[in-house]
Amino acid sequence: MNKQKLKIAVLVSGNGSNLQVLIDAQKTAELPIEIVGIISNKEDAYAIKRANKAAINIAVLSHTSSGKRMKISTFEQHALNQLKKWQPDLIVLAGFMRVLSAGFINACPAPMINLHPSLLPKFKGLNTHARAIDNHEVYHGCSVHVVTAELDAGTVIAQAILKIKTSDTAATLQNRVHELEYKLLPWVVHLIAKGMFANDNQKVDFSQLATPECLPALPWKLAFFE
Ligand code: GRF
């Protein structure tokens, strides 16, 4: 793991700015990763353009092709076949906006992490920035967690934290959290690529997330206070 490149598959649904951070880090070799393929469940996702520009394999498994919504089970079957061909060490959900079934998650050929725009366990689901403001939160941020069958509920590996400003709106907060995401996701991927969560066979393994006692307990936190 720590000598070879970590093979990553990325699932996206939209803009793909976090995907871009990983693409750039691969290009400059700042991270020891190889993005072996990208899956988009939206045919108009800007992330597709990013993948094409970087000449990375992209599978567009759209839910709405020919005007008909692809069933999630059909999407999962196609996605699974594709992932098995690519054989990633790690699957990264970076702005992937569908809930995946337990069957799919368990059948995936690699462990999976998700980037979520809140300080889990607070604000699972959507509209996290507006909900944080409405709830008068002092702190907000983003989390990278292990994907399990329960939505946004797997072990949180790391979080990046900011202080909400009185002037913040949902939109400004979203932008500020995005800046944190661009640090948090590569940091976690870096730790994984360096073997922080590898088993004896050097495979990524989240089944036991214990880390050395001299390190802080999970989730590891990055604070960005002005
Ligand atoms: C991010 O805010 C991420 O936390 C959430 O979806 C958004 C994706 O943004 N899961 P982008 O597509 O990477 O620009």
Side-chain angles (χ1 to χ4, degrees):
M1 181 78 51
N2 47 8
K3 292 210 180 76
Q4 289 176 342
K5 287 184 180 169
L6 183 78
K7 291 194 285 170
I8 296 177
V10 187
L11 270 63
V12 293
S13 299
N15 180 19
S17 60
N18 284 284
L19 166 69
Q20 189 66 52
V21 172
L22 295 179
I23 291 174
D24 293 346
Q26 169 179 315
K27 212 157 141 193
T28 57
E30 283 184 304
L31 291 182
I33 58 170
E34 180 193 352
I35 303 171
V36 290
I38 296 162
I39 294 176
S40 172
N41 70 325
K42 290 270 166 83
E43 58 214 354
D44 56 355
Y46 188 72
I48 298 169
K49 290 198 172 67
R50 299 180 191 271
N52 287 331
K53 195 166 173 217
I56 296 174
N57 292 321
I58 170 105
V60 181
L61 306 175
S62 173
H63 289 280
T64 54
S65 59
S66 56
K68 270 190 166 180
R69 196 172 170 84
M70 187 191 280
K71 281 194 303 185
I72 186 70
S73 56
T74 312
F75 167 84
E76 289 182 341
Q77 193 51 57
H78 288 309
L80 207 50
N81 291 340
Q82 191 60 73
L83 290 168
K84 283 181 179 163
K85 280 185 200 146
W86 287 334
Q87 297 206 321
D89 302 310
L90 178 73
I91 300 165
V92 178
L93 307 186
F96 182 73
M97 303 305 286
R98 285 297 303 242
V99 177
L100 295 165
S101 73
F104 175 80
I105 293 165
N106 295 334
C108 268
M112 208 183 297
I113 56 173
N114 179 46
L115 176 63
H116 182 79
S118 80
L119 297 177
L120 292 170
K122 286 187 174 171
F123 310 119
K124 296 174 182 177
L126 299 174
N127 302 320
T128 57
H129 311 299
R131 286 159 64 205
I133 290 176
D134 290 350
N135 212 42
H136 305 288
E137 295 292 325
V138 177
Y139 302 108
H140 186 49
C142 48
S143 306
V144 172
H145 67 92
V146 178
V147 175
T148 58
E150 198 184 334
L151 183 68
D152 299 331
T155 303
V156 181
I157 298 172
Q159 295 181 318
I161 304 166
L162 52 67
K163 263 189 170 171
I164 297 179
K165 297 176 182 171
T166 46
S167 57
D168 267 323
T169 61
T172 63
L173 200 50
Q174 180 176 30
N175 289 338
R176 294 180 65 211
V177 170
H178 260 128
E179 293 303 318
L180 265 55
E181 291 179 344
Y182 303 153
K183 300 283 178 211
L184 185 70
L185 182 61
W187 184 51
V188 173
V189 168
H190 174 81
L191 292 173
I192 295 171
K194 290 292 178 188
M196 183 59 88
F197 301 113
N199 61 22
D200 291 346
N201 300 321
Q202 299 294 292
K203 292 270 177 209
V204 181
D205 183 359
F206 297 136
S207 61
Q208 37 182 342
L209 278 164
T211 55
E213 267 188 33
C214 60
L215 294 178
L218 298 179
W220 291 328
K221 297 182 183 183
L222 289 174
F224 290 84
F225 298 156
E226 290 166 18

PDB file of all heavy atoms in Angstrom, residues 143-156:
ATOM      1  N   SER A 143     -17.310  16.147   6.873  1.00  0.00           N
ATOM      2  CA  SER A 143     -16.837  14.876   7.435  1.00  0.00           C
ATOM      3  C   SER A 143     -16.518  13.906   6.306  1.00  0.00           C
ATOM      4  O   SER A 143     -17.181  13.908   5.269  1.00  0.00           O
ATOM      5  CB  SER A 143     -17.940  14.228   8.291  1.00  0.00           C
ATOM      6  OG  SER A 143     -18.422  15.109   9.282  1.00  0.00           O
ATOM      7  N   VAL A 144     -15.530  13.064   6.546  1.00  0.00           N
ATOM      8  CA  VAL A 144     -15.323  11.889   5.689  1.00  0.00           C
ATOM      9  C   VAL A 144     -15.623  10.677   6.557  1.00  0.00           C
ATOM     10  O   VAL A 144     -15.044  10.526   7.634  1.00  0.00           O
ATOM     11  CB  VAL A 144     -13.886  11.813   5.147  1.00  0.00           C
ATOM     12  CG1 VAL A 144     -13.667  10.482   4.418  1.00  0.00           C
ATOM     13  CG2 VAL A 144     -13.606  12.980   4.198  1.00  0.00           C
ATOM     14  N   HIS A 145     -16.562   9.865   6.076  1.00  0.00           N
ATOM     15  CA  HIS A 145     -16.951   8.701   6.885  1.00  0.00           C
ATOM     16  C   HIS A 145     -16.983   7.436   6.044  1.00  0.00           C
ATOM     17  O   HIS A 145     -17.085   7.487   4.811  1.00  0.00           O
ATOM     18  CB  HIS A 145     -18.317   8.943   7.548  1.00  0.00           C
ATOM     19  CG  HIS A 145     -19.465   9.016   6.582  1.00  0.00           C
ATOM     20  ND1 HIS A 145     -20.218   7.922   6.234  1.00  0.00           N
ATOM     21  CD2 HIS A 145     -19.970  10.060   5.875  1.00  0.00           C
ATOM     22  CE1 HIS A 145     -21.144   8.291   5.366  1.00  0.00           C
ATOM     23  NE2 HIS A 145     -21.015   9.578   5.119  1.00  0.00           N
ATOM     24  N   VAL A 146     -16.898   6.315   6.725  1.00  0.00           N
ATOM     25  CA  VAL A 146     -17.007   5.020   6.069  1.00  0.00           C
ATOM     26  C   VAL A 146     -18.467   4.830   5.663  1.00  0.00           C
ATOM     27  O   VAL A 146     -19.375   5.169   6.422  1.00  0.00           O
ATOM     28  CB  VAL A 146     -16.580   3.892   7.046  1.00  0.00           C
ATOM     29  CG1 VAL A 146     -16.734   2.524   6.393  1.00  0.00           C
ATOM     30  CG2 VAL A 146     -15.150   4.116   7.516  1.00  0.00           C
ATOM     31  N   VAL A 147     -18.680   4.339   4.442  1.00  0.00           N
ATOM     32  CA  VAL A 147     -20.059   4.133   3.978  1.00  0.00           C
ATOM     33  C   VAL A 147     -20.575   2.782   4.477  1.00  0.00           C
ATOM     34  O   VAL A 147     -19.941   1.749   4.280  1.00  0.00           O
ATOM     35  CB  VAL A 147     -20.141   4.185   2.438  1.00  0.00           C
ATOM     36  CG1 VAL A 147     -21.549   3.849   1.950  1.00  0.00           C
ATOM     37  CG2 VAL A 147     -19.718   5.563   1.941  1.00  0.00           C
ATOM     38  N   THR A 148     -21.726   2.859   5.126  1.00  0.00           N
ATOM     39  CA  THR A 148     -22.431   1.651   5.565  1.00  0.00           C
ATOM     40  C   THR A 148     -23.866   1.766   5.056  1.00  0.00           C
ATOM     41  O   THR A 148     -24.251   2.802   4.492  1.00  0.00           O
ATOM     42  CB  THR A 148     -22.438   1.536   7.101  1.00  0.00           C
ATOM     43  OG1 THR A 148     -23.066   2.721   7.630  1.00  0.00           O
ATOM     44  CG2 THR A 148     -21.046   1.404   7.682  1.00  0.00           C
ATOM     45  N   ALA A 149     -24.639   0.712   5.301  1.00  0.00           N
ATOM     46  CA  ALA A 149     -26.001   0.690   4.752  1.00  0.00           C
ATOM     47  C   ALA A 149     -26.872   1.817   5.316  1.00  0.00           C
ATOM     48  O   ALA A 149     -27.782   2.295   4.663  1.00  0.00           O
ATOM     49  CB  ALA A 149     -26.634  -0.655   5.037  1.00  0.00           C
ATOM     50  N   GLU A 150     -26.556   2.264   6.528  1.00  0.00           N
ATOM     51  CA  GLU A 150     -27.363   3.346   7.115  1.00  0.00           C
ATOM     52  C   GLU A 150     -26.833   4.692   6.633  1.00  0.00           C
ATOM     53  O   GLU A 150     -25.615   4.943   6.694  1.00  0.00           O
ATOM     54  CB  GLU A 150     -27.280   3.260   8.641  1.00  0.00           C
ATOM     55  CG  GLU A 150     -28.396   4.021   9.319  1.00  0.00           C
ATOM     56  CD  GLU A 150     -28.241   4.002  10.841  1.00  0.00           C
ATOM     57  OE1 GLU A 150     -27.625   3.060  11.359  1.00  0.00           O
ATOM     58  OE2 GLU A 150     -28.695   4.951  11.480  1.00  0.00           O
ATOM     59  N   LEU A 151     -27.724   5.572   6.176  1.00  0.00           N
ATOM     60  CA  LEU A 151     -27.323   6.834   5.539  1.00  0.00           C
ATOM     61  C   LEU A 151     -26.477   7.712   6.461  1.00  0.00           C
ATOM     62  O   LEU A 151     -26.893   8.036   7.572  1.00  0.00           O
ATOM     63  CB  LEU A 151     -28.581   7.600   5.098  1.00  0.00           C
ATOM     64  CG  LEU A 151     -28.328   8.903   4.340  1.00  0.00           C
ATOM     65  CD1 LEU A 151     -27.711   8.622   2.971  1.00  0.00           C
ATOM     66  CD2 LEU A 151     -29.614   9.703   4.215  1.00  0.00           C
ATOM     67  N   ASP A 152     -25.306   8.107   5.975  1.00  0.00           N
ATOM     68  CA  ASP A 152     -24.404   9.044   6.664  1.00  0.00           C
ATOM     69  C   ASP A 152     -24.102   8.627   8.111  1.00  0.00           C
ATOM     70  O   ASP A 152     -23.931   9.470   8.991  1.00  0.00           O
ATOM     71  CB  ASP A 152     -24.992  10.468   6.661  1.00  0.00           C
ATOM     72  CG  ASP A 152     -25.189  11.001   5.252  1.00  0.00           C
ATOM     73  OD1 ASP A 152     -24.433  10.593   4.355  1.00  0.00           O
ATOM     74  OD2 ASP A 152     -26.088  11.835   5.055  1.00  0.00           O
ATOM     75  N   ALA A 153     -24.056   7.324   8.354  1.00  0.00           N
ATOM     76  CA  ALA A 153     -23.935   6.853   9.734  1.00  0.00           C
ATOM     77  C   ALA A 153     -22.689   6.020  10.012  1.00  0.00           C
ATOM     78  O   ALA A 153     -22.467   5.601  11.146  1.00  0.00           O
ATOM     79  CB  ALA A 153     -25.177   6.049  10.118  1.00  0.00           C
ATOM     80  N   GLY A 154     -21.860   5.740   8.996  1.00  0.00           N
ATOM     81  CA  GLY A 154     -20.656   4.943   9.225  1.00  0.00           C
ATOM     82  C   GLY A 154     -19.625   5.720  10.033  1.00  0.00           C
ATOM     83  O   GLY A 154     -19.736   6.947  10.197  1.00  0.00           O
ATOM     84  N   THR A 155     -18.630   5.013  10.537  1.00  0.00           N
ATOM     85  CA  THR A 155     -17.595   5.650  11.366  1.00  0.00           C
ATOM     86  C   THR A 155     -17.005   6.879  10.680  1.00  0.00           C
ATOM     87  O   THR A 155     -16.626   6.832   9.505  1.00  0.00           O
ATOM     88  CB  THR A 155     -16.451   4.645  11.633  1.00  0.00           C
ATOM     89  OG1 THR A 155     -17.000   3.505  12.250  1.00  0.00           O
ATOM     90  CG2 THR A 155     -15.373   5.258  12.510  1.00  0.00           C
ATOM     91  N   VAL A 156     -16.950   7.971  11.426  1.00  0.00           N
ATOM     92  CA  VAL A 156     -16.369   9.199  10.873  1.00  0.00           C
ATOM     93  C   VAL A 156     -14.854   9.133  11.055  1.00  0.00           C
ATOM     94  O   VAL A 156     -14.358   8.990  12.177  1.00  0.00           O
ATOM     95  CB  VAL A 156     -16.960  10.446  11.562  1.00  0.00           C
ATOM     96  CG1 VAL A 156     -16.352  11.717  10.960  1.00  0.00           C
ATOM     97  CG2 VAL A 156     -18.477  10.471  11.415  1.00  0.00           C
TER      98      VAL A 156
END
